[in-house]
Amino acid sequence: MHQPYKEDTKQERYLTAALEECGYSFIIQCDWFDPYIVDFYLPELRMVIEADGKMGHLRKADAKRDAALLAGQDPEISQVIHITSTDVFAIMEELCQVLDKL
């Protein structure tokens, strides 16, 4: 992991703990996908996880960014997921639901 670009949010700290608990390796605030910096990148799953919070982000902007991330970057991304839960237990549940589908 490298030094974060910004102060992490409570949701990002909860996601970090949940990913560690699940045993996945990940990079926080990964800058490999220029011009984008993603909240979490899981190399072994080729997955990006965005911590959107309760309010989420701008849906159109997210859709455009997700499409660009999925359009053959190197390294290739197979999936972009957005976590909206902010409670530690809800985050773990939402994350487990996604990971169980793999």
Side-chain angles (χ1 to χ4, degrees):
M1 290 188 282
H2 62 79
Q3 192 66 16
Y5 287 96
K6 62 176 177 60
E7 185 76 25
D8 57 346
T9 64
K10 186 183 289 188
Q11 183 192 32
E12 290 169 334
R13 289 191 300 274
Y14 291 160
L15 264 166
T16 296
L19 287 167
E20 287 173 345
E21 174 114 359
C22 292
Y24 287 99
S25 61
F26 56 93
I27 301 164
I28 299 172
Q29 295 181 19
C30 181
D31 61 358
W32 294 358
F33 308 103
D34 191 40
Y36 305 109
I37 297 173
V38 300
D39 292 336
F40 296 88
Y41 177 61
L42 287 68
E44 67 188 274
L45 300 176
R46 299 182 348 236
M47 176 187 290
V48 167
I49 299 176
E50 289 295 314
D52 285 350
K54 284 184 180 180
M55 301 306 270
H57 290 280
L58 303 172
R59 298 292 178 229
K60 281 187 176 183
D62 278 349
K64 182 179 176 181
R65 180 174 184 250
D66 292 356
L69 287 169
L70 291 166
Q73 294 283 334
D74 186 26
E76 184 179 332
I77 296 173
S78 63
Q79 188 174 13
V80 178
I81 63 167
H82 296 266
I83 301 291
T84 57
S85 301
T86 56
D87 170 84
V88 66
F89 298 109
I91 287 171
M92 182 60 106
E93 183 176 320
E94 193 172 344
L95 188 60
C96 286
Q97 287 176 0
V98 169
L99 296 175
D100 284 346
K101 292 179 183 177
L102 301 178

